[in-house]
Amino acid sequence: MSDPERLNADRLDGKAISEQVRQELAEKVADFKKRHPTFVPKLVAIQVGERSDSSVYIRQKSKACKEIGIEFEHVQLPADIRQSSLDAHLDRINNDPTVHGIIVQLPVPEHLNTKHIVHSIRPEKDVDGFHAENIGHLSKRATEPFFYSCTPLGCIELLKRYNIPVAGKNAVVVGRSDIVGAPVAMMLTKLDATVTICHSKTSDIEARVREADILVVAIGRLEFVKADWIKQGAVVIDVGMNAKDDPSKKSGYRWVGDVEAGAKERASYVTPVPGGVGPMTVAMLLSNVVTSAMRHFEASSSVTIVPNPLTLQDPVPSDIAIASAQKPKLITQLANELNLAQTEFEPYGKHTAKVTLDVLDRLKDSSNGHYVVVTGISPTPLGEGKSTVTIGLTQALYANLKRPAFACVRQPSQGPTFGIKGGAAGGGYSQVTPMTSMNLHLTGDIHAITAANNLVAAAVDARFFHESTQTDTQLFNRLCPKKKGTRCFANVMLGRLSRLGISKTDPEELTTEEISRFVRLDIDKDKIMWRRVIDTNDRFLREITIGEAATERGMARKTGFDISVASEIMAVLALTTSLPDMRERLGRMVVALSKQGEPITCDDIGITGALTVLMKDAINPTLMQTLEGSPVFVHAGPFANIAHGNSSIVADRIALKLVGVPAGEPVTAENAGYVVTEAGFGADIGFEKFVNIKCRASGLVPDAAVIVATVRALKMHGGGPDVVPGKPLADAYTQENLGLLEKGFANLRRHIENVGKVGVRAIVAINAFSTDTPAELELVRRLAREAGAYDAVPTQLWAKGGAGATELAEAVARCCSEARQSNNFHVLYDHNLPIKDKIEAIAKQFYRARSVSFSDEAQLKIEQFTRSGWDKMPVCMAKTQYSFSANPALKGAPEGFDLPVRDIRASLGAGFVYPLCGAMQTLPGLPTRPCFYDIDVDTESGDVLGLF
């Protein structure tokens, strides 16, 4: 702050200085807002009761805030409020990220605990500077408080503004209150004054005052310090404000300080009363609010990058050994690095948390970070390390390039975890941690989906049973029972009435015909589409018979189980954009057809609200971290071959905002972070659905696509021997064979072309194995670039973590920067096209099929869906992941084949129709030697063993 001219030889004019401070603050706020349009400082003042003097002070602060550009909120509470209710208000305001300062107008009613109230305000919002943590830091030379108390700070500001030297001077403070005396003494000490504190027990105060070069009096006693005590030329700061009888005044009194007025005849400087310290107190409060707001804005404008260094070993230990050796950050630390408010995340243990969708509201005006999707070539049954590349690339961007980076991946199903594939947390030194939590229950989302799905199944069968055994009257009396002589509809029933064209809301007004239509869904037992699910590979539940008990005699029917991640509810979770949207999607899921061929939805069953309750926590993505400390969202887990195979839209959206750029800020290659999201299996499946289903629903636009390829898989596509899990690889895969590799490159070339078809730049990540030769890696690199890839980079993420993908990360950064200048992304087809045309667009343009043939059943379904208006949704192809065709044995890049569609189904909740191409298994079985043989727990330490 600039030094003012001396306003008066013996007057420390707090009023004039406070006006200067306010003007400077107004200019400071206006200038900051020009550069950062979303910047809005905010002060909340809590007033308990209606004391007239408190109300005056509140109005003064409100007016001052408005002049400077600070938003002011006055929270008026009743005088008889309970302490717990006041605490609840403080907790809400403490956790509101838009609030930068909180004050409680004192005094409060006697039944409230003032000390408790003051210490309930978070120190970083305690703009009065009263919290013990803020005052405590004053006494330490090595630390600073968030805020200095306003009145002491005003005293110090006056000394600074008048260029009054403090260092080496004798300073005497009369009064030792926590609000003024003690803090101002510590602040003078920090300015290198020699400080003496006097109080009611101090002997011979007069003698001590006479030694003061600087005297601060805050004892609250009228004219306590006599004028003749003042040292000649001393500086006197009188904090007191006392009413003294004065018949000459209209009010009958005048304001005087703690120091006799005659002190000005001996002092070099003195503060007037009033007009001295008082105006400075308000000015310093405003300054603290602006400081807090700027501090918060700067801190929350970018992610704090704190890598967790790896200690690499050679040979590379097992995944679980690596994960166990690397100590992750506490989830609260990671949340703080991401600038999440305390109300925006809910810890589940030490290392995982749910993040609420409130983040999207707070950051709605921020620009998104760069959006990168990781896909792959047509894989071998062993997988090509797509998850490992997703995690390793994120680690490289974060820990090596020091850029904000977020990975978004699907939650693994316990079916493969205990079956043959194992977990899906990445591998080697590129993992999500704790990997045991991720691969097991995590935060219970899949369990919630299982419970919700099976509740629907139970409700459908129960409704069929009750309609089969009861009259219309009996059904009506049970669905709308009289309670205290009155019937009423449940809220969910009103929607069904509306769909039936019945506008009545009083059950007693329904006619007999309307009652029958309302209570009878008339489910066709043979057209119940909804199946139960389980998150276990269990081949014997694929086809079952239910209703065999004597109590359900005559109700038996054939049905079956799918794996939980194949449930339509999983697809709904992955594609929803908000809680209301999820409820709507759940309500429109079709569970059966009536005997008249009409669709029956969850809304018709009356179960939508209950499903939403089961899923309300699952909608929030789970926050975890990589081995190197970069953040990860694990959310949703639809399979890619039988569903759309991508993690959730809400996870991607939140991540993009968290690593994005505040509203009004220019988006540059340097200040925008990266979100790396994964699309399941090859680009013909997961990436195609990412584009045509996920991006269509989310409106998000990718900046780059990373295609993961391995020498092993390319050799297989070139005609190499079958790759079989559990069996040693043939020599062709462990020895150099450039001819086989070049022939198989046709598969990767096709995927590069397909990614380019939708206007996305493709970067090939060659996931290198120890058996790959330099010549093989260079061949893939050269051929990929010749095929049109933006770049092709060998990586060693499994063995080296982020350090093994630095070149890949640099290529991704360059690509994203260029994409922001020129992005030609587009979906493959118009969703308004007829269903057949959309299927053929995918089959002919992405798969290179010559034709598509439809079974009679599929043809009938298409006609039925078109009549029902279900033909305007995108298509989710269900086909093998091992080939562009429906034949898994047809490797390489086949073309000119026929794609058979044997059936087609509708997922109205998810918002797509899905054709079934060839035989697709929706519930895997266990192999001869499942993974569970190796999984155990160390009963001494509690550590999980054998998980990978």
Side-chain angles (χ1 to χ4, degrees):
M1 299 179 180
S2 60
D3 295 329
E5 296 180 2
R6 290 173 64 94
L7 302 173
N8 191 297
D10 60 358
R11 182 182 177 90
L12 294 176
D13 194 337
K15 184 176 180 181
I17 296 298
S18 71
E19 289 174 356
Q20 286 185 18
V21 171
R22 291 189 191 192
Q23 181 61 37
E24 290 166 3
L25 288 173
E27 292 172 358
K28 189 176 184 180
V29 169
D31 179 66
F32 202 84
K33 282 182 70 70
K34 284 181 182 178
R35 291 179 285 121
H36 311 286
T38 60
F39 175 70
V40 181
K42 183 174 181 180
L43 172 66
V44 173
I46 298 176
Q47 180 185 2
V48 182
E50 298 179 357
R51 283 178 55 123
S52 58
D53 55 344
S54 292
S55 297
V56 170
Y57 295 144
I58 292 288
R59 285 196 294 271
Q60 289 174 347
K61 291 167 185 173
S62 174
K63 181 182 178 182
C65 284
K66 185 176 181 181
E67 291 172 354
I68 289 171
I70 297 172
E71 181 181 342
F72 183 85
E73 180 182 344
H74 178 200
V75 178
Q76 177 84 55
L77 301 174
D80 60 352
I81 190 171
R82 290 182 298 177
Q83 185 74 59
S84 59
S85 298
L86 176 56
D87 289 347
H89 281 283
L90 279 169
D91 185 63
R92 175 185 62 81
I93 300 167
N94 268 327
N95 291 307
D96 184 345
T98 68
V99 175
H100 308 109
I102 304 170
I103 59 173
V104 176
Q105 189 65 47
L106 301 177
V108 294
E110 290 184 357
H111 71 280
L112 298 173
N113 186 328
T114 299
K115 183 177 180 180
H116 171 80
I117 293 169
V118 168
H119 292 160
S120 294
I121 298 173
R122 287 170 58 179
E124 62 267 33
K125 296 190 178 186
D126 169 39
V127 288
D128 265 333
F130 292 165
H131 194 285
E133 183 175 325
N134 282 323
I135 293 175
H137 280 296
L138 278 173
S139 63
K140 299 179 181 180
R141 297 186 65 183
T143 62
E144 290 286 330
F146 285 106
F147 305 104
Y148 291 93
S149 301
C150 297
T151 299
L153 185 60
C155 296
I156 300 299
E157 188 67 20
L158 282 172
L159 295 173
K160 290 180 178 178
R161 294 275 177 152
Y162 281 89
N163 291 321
I164 296 171
V166 176
K169 300 295 183 179
N170 289 323
V172 174
V173 177
V174 181
R176 57 177 176 178
S177 72
D178 289 341
I179 293 176
V180 181
V184 80
M186 288 184 278
M187 292 166 72
L188 287 166
T189 301
K190 284 200 170 190
L191 293 174
D192 297 321
T194 301
V195 181
T196 301
I197 300 179
C198 299
H199 48 78
S200 61
K201 303 299 182 183
T202 302
S203 61
D204 199 5
I205 291 181
E206 177 183 344
R208 298 176 190 275
V209 170
R210 288 182 183 278
E211 298 174 355
D213 299 315
I214 298 172
L215 176 65
V216 180
V217 186
I219 201 168
R221 292 172 61 180
L222 183 149
E223 297 179 329
F224 176 81
V225 174
K226 307 309 177 185
D228 60 1
W229 295 5
I230 306 301
K231 180 180 179 180
Q232 193 70 34
V235 176
V236 178
I237 298 178
D238 188 351
V239 182
M241 189 83 162
N242 310 284
K244 183 176 182 178
D245 293 339
D246 186 345
S248 67
K249 297 291 184 182
K250 183 177 181 181
S251 62
Y253 64 87
R254 60 188 171 88
W255 293 107
V256 298
D258 291 352
V259 181
E260 278 187 342
K264 64 183 179 181
E265 298 175 3
R266 298 176 62 84
S268 59
Y269 291 92
V270 65
T271 54
V273 177
V277 176
M280 292 300 298
T281 299
V282 176
M284 294 301 99
L285 172 69
L286 301 173
S287 178
N288 280 348
V289 174
V290 172
T291 297
S292 177
M294 289 184 172
R295 180 191 295 145
H296 174 79
F297 188 90
E298 296 290 356
S300 62
S301 294
S302 60
V303 172
T304 303
I305 298 173
V306 185
N308 195 3
L310 292 172
T311 301
L312 302 178
Q313 296 184 45
D314 187 13
V316 177
S318 68
D319 289 354
I320 197 165
I322 293 172
S324 299
Q326 184 77 344
K327 184 178 180 180
K329 305 173 190 176
L330 293 176
I331 200 65
T332 49
Q333 177 188 339
L334 183 61
N336 288 336
E337 292 168 6
L338 293 169
N339 304 308
L340 292 172
Q342 288 189 0
T343 53
E344 293 173 341
F345 70 98
E346 180 181 359
Y348 278 59
K350 295 180 180 179
H351 302 118
T352 58
K354 282 286 192 179
V355 175
T356 71
L357 273 57
D358 295 339
V359 179
L360 291 173
D361 292 330
R362 175 169 62 87
L363 300 177
K364 63 181 182 297
D365 296 323
S366 297
S367 300
N368 289 338
H370 300 295
Y371 196 29
V372 181
V373 58
V374 177
T375 183
I377 62 172
S378 305
T380 69
L382 300 178
E384 310 318 308
K386 197 163 63 284
S387 297
T388 302
V389 171
T390 300
I391 302 306
L393 170 58
T394 306
Q395 291 179 178
L397 288 164
Y398 181 87
N400 295 82
L401 270 59
K402 301 297 188 291
R403 304 296 299 280
F406 225 119
C408 292
V409 297
R410 291 172 292 163
Q411 181 180 349
S413 164
Q414 288 183 178
T417 297
F418 290 100
I420 194 169
K421 183 177 179 290
Y429 287 103
S430 296
Q431 293 187 52
V432 180
T433 186
M435 62 93 77
T436 51
S437 298
M438 179 175 177
N439 286 315
L440 297 175
H441 308 284
L442 200 53
T443 49
D445 292 357
I446 293 180
H447 297 319
I449 289 165
T450 303
N453 184 100
N454 293 343
L455 181 60
V456 175
V460 172
D461 287 320
R463 186 61 177 263
F464 173 76
F465 171 80
H466 292 305
E467 286 191 25
S468 300
T469 56
Q470 297 178 42
T471 66
D472 290 353
T473 301
Q474 290 172 323
L475 286 168
F476 187 64
N477 288 335
R478 287 174 171 83
L479 289 171
C480 298
K482 282 190 175 182
K483 295 181 179 179
K484 296 182 180 180
T486 304
R487 296 185 198 272
C488 64
F489 291 118
N491 286 335
V492 72
M493 294 177 175
L494 298 175
R496 172 162 171 76
L497 289 167
S498 177
R499 288 188 296 278
L500 291 172
I502 301 172
S503 59
K504 299 172 183 176
T505 57
D506 184 351
E508 301 293 359
E509 295 180 359
L510 264 61
T511 65
T512 301
E513 186 268 339
E514 288 171 337
I515 287 174
S516 181
R517 291 172 58 210
F518 167 67
V519 301
R520 295 222 170 260
L521 300 178
D522 209 17
I523 298 169
D524 186 337
K525 184 175 71 171
D526 297 327
K527 297 294 176 62
I528 295 176
M529 308 168 185
W530 198 265
R531 290 160 62 92
R532 288 162 172 81
V533 298
I534 186 172
D535 197 34
T536 304
N537 289 2
D538 190 346
R539 66 180 69 247
F540 286 93
L541 292 178
R542 291 169 177 167
E543 298 293 339
I544 62 171
T545 302
I546 61 172
E548 294 284 9
T551 50
E552 284 76 48
R553 186 176 295 117
M555 302 288 178
R557 70 179 182 88
K558 287 189 174 183
T559 182
F561 276 75
D562 297 328
I563 196 160
S564 294
V565 292
S567 169
E568 183 175 354
I569 297 176
M570 175 62 86
V572 166
L573 177 66
L575 291 169
T576 195
T577 56
S578 65
L579 188 62
D581 177 61
M582 183 173 72
R583 191 187 189 286
E584 181 182 339
R585 287 173 177 272
L586 292 170
R588 65 177 186 244
M589 294 188 303
V590 175
V591 297
L593 297 179
S594 70
K595 292 176 182 175
Q596 294 74 40
E598 295 296 319
I600 297 169
T601 67
C602 285
D603 269 347
D604 293 321
I605 295 290
I607 201 170
T608 307
L611 297 181
T612 309
V613 168
L614 285 171
M615 294 295 295
K616 72 178 182 66
D617 293 324
I619 195 174
N620 297 322
T622 299
L623 177 64
M624 299 185 75
Q625 61 193 287
T626 67
L627 290 175
E628 296 192 60
S630 55
V632 180
F633 273 142
V634 182
H635 200 217
F639 279 180
N641 53 353
I642 54 179
H644 75 284
N646 283 261
S647 61
S648 75
I649 286 174
V650 294
D652 286 6
R653 280 184 169 175
I654 294 173
L656 284 164
K657 293 298 183 185
L658 289 173
V659 303
V661 180
E665 303 284 321
V667 180
T668 67
E670 290 72 33
N671 66 357
Y674 299 83
V675 171
V676 183
T677 192
E678 180 188 359
F681 292 128
D684 58 321
I685 297 181
F687 176 78
E688 182 271 311
K689 296 170 184 178
F690 169 82
V691 169
N692 293 310
I693 297 176
K694 185 176 181 179
C695 290
R696 194 189 300 267
S698 69
L700 298 173
V701 175
D703 296 302
V706 175
I707 304 175
V708 179
T710 62
V711 169
R712 176 184 65 196
L714 293 175
K715 287 180 177 179
M716 181 194 70
H717 286 294
D722 288 342
V723 176
V724 181
K727 291 186 178 181
L729 288 172
D731 290 344
Y733 299 111
T734 59
Q735 298 175 6
E736 185 176 289
N737 191 325
L738 299 179
L740 196 64
L741 180 61
E742 185 166 6
K743 183 179 178 184
F745 181 82
N747 184 270
L748 176 53
R749 179 183 292 109
R750 175 78 56 80
H751 288 296
I752 293 170
E753 292 170 355
N754 285 346
V755 169
K757 278 182 182 293
V758 294
V760 180
R761 295 169 172 86
I763 301 166
V764 174
I766 309 167
N767 189 16
F769 297 165
S770 60
T771 54
D772 299 341
T773 68
E776 288 176 327
L777 296 174
E778 183 54 36
L779 177 62
V780 177
R781 186 171 197 163
R782 177 176 62 80
L783 292 175
R785 287 170 170 171
E786 290 174 357
Y790 179 86
D791 204 347
V793 183
T795 63
Q796 293 181 303
L797 309 104
W798 180 79
K800 297 182 179 180
T806 302
E807 187 182 351
L808 174 64
E810 291 170 344
V812 166
R814 290 195 307 273
C815 184
C816 289
S817 179
E818 292 179 19
R820 284 295 172 103
Q821 305 303 318
S822 174
N823 195 313
N824 299 312
F825 173 75
H826 57 86
V827 294
L828 188 65
Y829 55 81
D830 183 343
H831 68 277
N832 289 311
L833 289 173
I835 293 175
K836 278 189 173 182
D837 290 0
K838 287 180 282 196
I839 294 172
E840 289 180 351
I842 297 169
K844 293 180 178 180
Q845 295 186 52
F846 255 52
Y847 304 162
R848 307 298 202 278
R850 180 191 71 257
S851 59
V852 180
S853 59
F854 297 87
S855 69
D856 291 343
E857 182 177 5
Q859 183 63 47
L860 288 171
K861 291 278 188 70
I862 291 172
E863 293 171 1
Q864 177 190 341
F865 292 175
T866 302
R867 287 195 302 272
S868 300
W870 301 350
D871 58 331
K872 306 304 180 187
M873 297 184 290
V875 169
C876 182
M877 303 292 284
K879 80 167 189 69
T880 179
Q881 66 268 32
Y882 297 121
S883 173
F884 283 103
S885 70
N887 179 5
L890 203 55
K891 305 298 185 184
E895 55 186 5
F897 55 86
D898 179 73
L899 184 74
V901 176
R902 63 177 178 85
D903 195 7
I904 185 166
R905 299 172 186 171
S907 292
L908 266 66
F912 54 67
V913 295
Y914 61 103
L916 300 175
C917 304
M920 294 302 301
Q921 198 59 258
T922 56
L923 182 61
L926 290 172
T928 304
R929 193 187 189 285
C931 294
F932 63 63
Y933 276 100
D934 301 311
I935 297 173
D936 206 337
V937 64
D938 184 325
T939 56
E940 295 295 325
S941 66
D943 293 339
V944 175
L945 307 172
L947 199 62
F948 70 94

